C-alpha cells in the first residue's frame, strides 16, 4: 500500500498544480510530493506549565521525521488548563476543549490529507482530545506525552498543586499562616510538566500507554528529563514502522486493549476522569464499553502504588522505580492483562514487557500483590434511585465503606463554595452540588476547589460530596461524581431538598435517597431546566450536543 495514501490526493497530478505551489511556499521540494505527510499536532501554549514545552518537543519530532523518508507538518491544537481554570467560569470550558481539540485534529488531518498523526499532549484534556481523533480517523498514529512536573518543596517537604488548593481551606480555617500559604503557592509548581500525582494527566498518559498507543515507559518520564529527546526519536521511529506495516489505531484499540487500560488505571490508583475519557475513546473506536463494565475491574484489581493525592508519591518517583511497565508486568504475571494485544511498536504487549524486571525491594512506591495499598480499585460505579444511569465513587484514601447523612443542596459550585468557606458544612453532611453536569454547567466542571477546601478544613472523609459534575484527579475524600442522569435533564438530583437522607454504600455499590419513586416524581412535576445563561457559542453548542456522563459526555 502507498505510504502517501491520503496526501497524494493533495500533491499528485496536473490538477494539483495550485496545491503544490502553496506547499512550495512553506518549504516543499519536488521530492517531497511523493513522501508521506506526517501531521504533528502540538498542544504547545504559553498558558500553563503542562504545555509550555510542547513546541520544543514538536521541533524534535520535526527533525526526526525529516531524517526519515517523510515530511513533517506541524500545527497547534490548544489547551484549557484545569488547574488555572478551576473554581471559576473557566472550568466550564475544560471538558468542552477535549471535543474541540479532537475536532481540530480531525479537520486539519482531513483538510490537508495527512497520512499519519504524531500527537503531543500533556494535560487532562489534551491527552484524550489528541487520541480520540486518532481512533476516529484510523490513520497510523502515535501519542507522545509531554511529561509530568517535578515535585515542589516547601520547608523540606514535597508539595504539588493540590497542596496549593488545600492551603485555601487550611488558611481559611486558621490551620496555617499567611506566610505558609504564600510559601506553598510559590513552591508548588517548580517548572514545566503536568500535575505530578496520579491526577488526570498522568492517569491518562498511563492509560494510553496501557492501550498500546504510546511507547512503553513513556508515561512517567518527567517533562524536563533529557530522556524526553530519546522518547520523541523512538516515537517517530515507531510511527514510521506503523506506516510501513499499515498498523492503525483500531488495530490496537480493541476491547482487550481497553480492558488492559482500565486494569492498569485501577492498579495505579488513577483518576475518576479516566472513566469519562475511556468511554469517549471507546465510542470513537467503536468498541463496546459501558460505565458498568468498570466494576469488574474495581472488584479484581488491587491498588499497587502509593501515589498522591491519597498517598505519598508522585509520577517522577514511579519513574525512578521503573514506571508503568513494572506495574503492567506485575499484572501480566498475575494473569490480569491480555498479553496478545498489538501495540504501536509492532509488538504485542507481552513482547514489550519481556525485558521488564520487577524488583520491589528498597522502594515503597510500588507495592506487592501480597501487601497492596488497597485490595480493590480506586474507582467504583454506583447505582440507585439517585443515579439510575450510574455515578463514580473515588475510593483512594477512604477508610470507610458507607456514609449516611442529611443533604446540603447547592445549585452550582459557586454557591457550595461560599457555604464551605463560611464554615457552615458540618461533620456528617452530604454536600450536593447539582446543575454542573455536561448540559447543566454547561461543561461538567471539576470540583477540586470544594473538595480541597473541605480537606483543608480537616473534614475529608467526615463529609461526603456528590455531584453531577466531576472531580480533578487531585480530589480525595468521600466523593461521588458523574451522577447520571444530571439535574439539568430532570435527573433525581433535581428533586433533592435540604435534609433529605442520602446513603452512599460502597459494598452495595449504591447511591440512594430516602424517598420513594412517587415522591421523587411528585417533586419533579413542576420542574423546569435551569437557564444556564449560555445561548450561543461553544458552551451553548456543547450543552445542546453533549451525551450523558455515563456515555462519556461525547458530542458525536
Amino acid at each position: 500500500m502507498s505510504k502517501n495514501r491520503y496526501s497524494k490526493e493533495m500533491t499528485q497530478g496536473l490538477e494539483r498544480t495550485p496545491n503544490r505551489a502553496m506547499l512550495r511556499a512553506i518549504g516543499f521540494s519536488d521530492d517531497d510530493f511523493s513522501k508521506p505527510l506526517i501531521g504533528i499536532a502540538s498542544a504547545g501554549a504559553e498558558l500553563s506549565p503542562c504545555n509550555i514545552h510542547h513546541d520544543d518537543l514538536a521541533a524534535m519530532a520535526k527533525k526526526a521525521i525529516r531524517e526519515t523518508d517523510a515530511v513533517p507538518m506541524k500545527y497547534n491544537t490548544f489547551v484549557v488548563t484545569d488547574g488555572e481554570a478551576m473554581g471559576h467560569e473557566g472550568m466550564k470550558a475544560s471538558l468542552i476543549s477535549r471535543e474541540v481539540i479532537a475536532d481540530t485534529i480531525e479537520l486539519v488531518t482531513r483538510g490537508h490529507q495527512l497520512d499519519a498523526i504524531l500527537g503531543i499532549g500533556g494535560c487532562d484534556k489534551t491527552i484524550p482530545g489528541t487520541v480520540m481523533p486518532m481512533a476516529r480517523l484510523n490513520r497510523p498514529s502515535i501519542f507522545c506525552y509531554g511529561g509530568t512536573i517535578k515535585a515542589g518543596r516547601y520547608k523540606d517537604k514535597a508539595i504539588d498543586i493540590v497542596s496549593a488548593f488545600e492551603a485555601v481551606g487550611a488558611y481559611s480555617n486558621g490551620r496555617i499562616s499567611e506566610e505558609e500559604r504564600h510559601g506553598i503557592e510559590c513552591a508548588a509548581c517548580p517548572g514545566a510538566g503536568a500535575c505530578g500525582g496520579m491526577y488526570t494527566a498522568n492517569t491518562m498518559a498511563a492509560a494510553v500507554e496501557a492501550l498500546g498507543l504510546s511507547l512503553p515507559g513513556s508515561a512517567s518520564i518527567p517533562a524536563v528529563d533529557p530522556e524526553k529527546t530519546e522518547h520523541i526519536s523512538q516515537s517517530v521511529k515507531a510511527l514510521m514502522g506503523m506506516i510501513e506495516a499499515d498498523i492503525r489505531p483500531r488495530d490496537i484499540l480493541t476491547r482487550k486493549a481497553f480492558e488492559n487500560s482500565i486494569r492498569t488505571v485501577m492498579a495505579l490508583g488513577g483518576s475518576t476522569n479516566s472513566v469519562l475519557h475511556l468511554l469517549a475513546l471507546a465510542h470513537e473506536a467503536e468498541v463496546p464499553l459501558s460505565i458498568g463494565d468498570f466494576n469488574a475491574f474495581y472488584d479484581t484489581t488491587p491498588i499497587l502504588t502509593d501515589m498522591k493525592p491519597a498517598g505519598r508519591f508522585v509520577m517522577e518517583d514511579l519513574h525512578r522505580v521503573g514506571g508503568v511497565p513494572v506495574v503492567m508486568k506485575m499484572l501480566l504475571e498475575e494473569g490480569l492483562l491480555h498479553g496478545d494485544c498489538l501495540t504501536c511498536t509492532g509488538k504485542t504487549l507481552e513482547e514489550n514487557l519481556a525485558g521488564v524486571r520487577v524488583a520491589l525491594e528498597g522502594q515503597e512506591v510500588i507495592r506487592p500483590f501480597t501487601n497492596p495499598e488497597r485490595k480493590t480499585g480506586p474507582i467504583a460505579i454506583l447505582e440507585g434511585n439517585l443515579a439510575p444511569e450510574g455515578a463514580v465513587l473515588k475510593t483512594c484514601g477512604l477508610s470507610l465503606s458507607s456514609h449516611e447523612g442529611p443533604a446540603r443542596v447547592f445549585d452550582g459550585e459557586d454557591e457550595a463554595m461560599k457555604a464551605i468557606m463560611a464554615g457552615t458544612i458540618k461533620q456528617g453532611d452530604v454536600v450536593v452540588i447539582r446543575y454542573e453536569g455536561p448540559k447543566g454547567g454547561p461543561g461538567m466542571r471539576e470540583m477540586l476547589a470544594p473538595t480541597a477546601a473541605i480537606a483543608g478544613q480537616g473534614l475529608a472523609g467526615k463529609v461526603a460530596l456528590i455531584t453531577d459534575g466531576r472531580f480533578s484527579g487531585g480530589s480525595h475524600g468521600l466523593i461521588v461524581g458523574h451522577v447520571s442522569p444530571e439535574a439539568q435533564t430532570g435527573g433525581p438530583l433535581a428533586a433533592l431538598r435540604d435534609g433529605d437522607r442520602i446513603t452512599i454504600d460502597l459494598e452495595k455499590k449504591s447511591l440512594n435517597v430516602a424517598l420513594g419513586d412517587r415522591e421523587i416524581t411528585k417533586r419533579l412535576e413542576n420542574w423546569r431546566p435551569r437557564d444556564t445563561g449560555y445561548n450561543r457559542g461553544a458552551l451553548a453548542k456543547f450543552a445542546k450536543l453533549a451525551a450523558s456522563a455515563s456515555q462519556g459526555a461525547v458530542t458525536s
Side-chain angles (χ1 to χ4, degrees):
M1 191 201 75
S2 172
K3 295 180 183 179
N4 62 338
R5 174 181 177 182
Y6 298 98
S7 63
K8 67 182 180 182
E9 297 296 324
M10 182 174 69
T11 61
Q12 303 294 306
L14 172 64
E15 67 276 18
R16 297 295 178 251
T17 296
N19 309 64
R20 291 193 297 274
M22 293 194 73
L23 290 169
R24 290 181 190 278
I26 60 171
F28 274 60
S29 65
D30 284 343
D31 290 343
D32 292 331
F33 295 123
S34 60
K35 296 177 180 179
L37 304 186
I38 313 300
I40 302 174
S42 169
E46 296 179 357
L47 289 166
S48 71
C50 317
N51 302 73
I52 188 68
H53 60 303
H54 286 191
D55 285 344
D56 295 333
L57 300 179
M60 295 177 195
K62 280 181 65 176
K63 183 175 184 294
I65 289 170
R66 267 293 178 191
E67 292 171 354
T68 71
D69 193 30
V71 180
M73 298 190 79
K74 181 258 184 184
Y75 61 95
N76 283 80
T77 59
F78 71 100
V79 59
V80 174
T81 300
D82 288 20
E84 296 172 22
M86 196 73 68
H88 55 83
E89 182 192 37
M91 181 48 70
K92 295 177 185 286
S94 172
L95 181 58
I96 301 172
S97 75
R98 182 193 73 179
E99 301 298 298
V100 182
I101 291 165
D103 290 349
T104 297
I105 294 174
E106 177 194 354
L107 292 173
V108 171
T109 304
R110 292 191 193 277
H112 297 269
Q113 291 296 291
L114 304 178
D115 297 296
I117 302 168
L118 186 147
I120 302 172
C123 59
D124 296 17
K125 307 308 171 302
T126 60
I127 298 174
T130 300
V131 177
M132 285 164 62
M134 295 177 179
R136 186 185 300 173
L137 293 162
N138 203 33
R139 302 181 190 188
S141 304
I142 196 166
F143 178 74
C144 297
Y145 181 38
T148 183
I149 198 171
K150 287 183 174 289
R153 297 202 72 81
Y154 178 68
K155 292 187 174 179
D156 203 33
K157 179 182 178 182
I159 62 171
D160 63 7
I161 187 62
V162 174
S163 308
F165 275 100
E166 293 185 355
V168 175
Y171 175 74
S172 70
N173 205 34
R175 299 175 70 207
I176 62 172
S177 68
E178 166 58 17
E179 179 185 0
E180 290 173 300
R181 184 211 60 76
H182 185 259
I184 292 169
E185 175 185 319
C186 293
C189 299
C195 300
M198 194 49 65
Y199 311 143
T200 303
N202 284 328
T203 296
M204 289 311 300
V208 175
E209 180 178 324
L211 281 168
L213 213 54
S214 60
L215 291 184
S218 61
S220 62
I221 304 172
V224 297
D225 197 303
E227 193 178 346
K228 270 292 167 194
T229 303
E230 182 66 12
H231 165 222
I232 295 295
S233 175
Q234 290 301 313
S235 294
V236 169
K237 182 178 178 181
L239 180 59
M240 298 313 295
M242 294 175 74
I243 295 171
E244 183 73 34
D246 195 27
I247 296 173
R248 297 160 181 260
R250 293 194 186 190
D251 299 324
I252 295 169
L253 299 175
T254 62
R255 169 70 190 208
K256 284 184 176 181
F258 277 95
E259 292 179 358
N260 286 343
S261 186
I262 295 169
R263 180 84 71 189
T264 301
V265 165
M266 292 285 183
L268 291 169
S271 164
T272 55
N273 278 316
S274 62
V275 176
L276 200 69
H277 299 322
L278 287 172
L279 286 171
L281 182 55
H283 173 78
E284 297 288 0
E286 299 186 83
V287 171
L289 184 67
S290 71
I291 190 169
D293 291 339
F294 284 76
N295 273 339
F297 299 92
Y298 164 82
D299 290 334
T300 59
T301 312
I303 300 176
L304 297 175
T305 59
D306 185 21
M307 302 285 284
K308 285 180 177 287
R312 294 174 290 162
F313 299 105
V314 294
M315 198 65 157
E316 66 173 315
D317 296 316
L318 182 63
H319 188 64
R320 174 174 48 82
V321 297
V324 177
V326 173
V327 175
M328 292 183 68
K329 183 64 174 284
M330 293 170 66
L331 292 170
L332 183 67
E333 290 177 342
E334 290 290 321
L336 296 175
L337 293 183
H338 304 288
D340 59 344
C341 288
L342 180 66
T343 72
C344 63
T345 65
K347 299 177 181 179
T348 65
L349 181 145
E350 185 172 12
E351 289 171 333
N352 286 342
L353 297 176
V356 174
R357 179 171 170 263
V358 177
L360 303 184
E361 301 81 10
Q363 59 84 39
E364 298 178 322
V365 184
I366 304 174
R367 308 282 291 270
F369 272 91
T370 54
N371 185 30
E373 188 67 24
R374 186 182 175 94
K375 292 181 179 179
T376 51
I379 302 166
I381 308 302
L382 310 183
E383 292 184 359
N385 69 351
L386 269 183
E389 294 179 4
V392 180
L393 170 69
K394 186 169 187 174
T395 70
C396 286
L398 278 185
S399 58
L400 68 168
S401 60
S402 65
H403 179 95
E404 180 185 344
R408 294 289 308 279
V409 183
F410 301 97
D411 291 345
E413 177 187 4
D414 300 337
E415 188 179 306
M417 194 64 181
K418 289 176 184 177
I420 295 167
M421 296 299 289
T424 65
I425 304 301
K426 306 302 180 186
Q427 182 172 334
D429 285 347
V430 180
V431 177
V432 178
I433 304 178
R434 63 188 178 188
Y435 295 106
E436 290 288 5
K439 293 181 179 293
M444 204 178 180
R445 286 198 284 187
E446 290 181 346
M447 301 297 142
L448 178 55
T451 59
I454 287 170
Q457 293 180 354
L459 292 172
K462 301 173 184 177
V463 167
L465 190 152
I466 70 172
T467 179
D468 50 10
R470 57 196 178 91
F471 296 110
S472 162
S475 291
H476 60 103
L478 187 56
I479 54 178
V480 181
H482 307 208
V483 177
S484 302
E486 62 176 289
Q488 185 70 5
T489 62
L493 279 186
L496 289 181
R497 298 172 183 168
D498 279 351
D500 288 338
R501 301 294 296 184
I502 294 174
T503 301
I504 303 165
D505 193 318
L506 177 56
E507 290 186 6
K508 295 180 180 178
K509 297 187 178 69
S510 63
L511 175 64
N512 290 293
V513 60
L515 297 174
D517 292 344
R518 291 181 64 181
E519 174 64 17
I520 293 173
T521 300
K522 181 180 178 182
R523 290 188 185 185
L524 292 173
E525 282 178 357
N526 297 316
W527 172 87
R528 295 291 181 272
R530 296 179 78 213
D531 181 0
T532 66
Y534 297 96
N535 301 312
R536 62 183 65 202
L539 273 67
K541 291 176 187 176
F542 186 81
K544 183 177 181 179
L545 296 173
S548 168
S550 64
Q551 298 172 315
V554 294
T555 57
S556 61

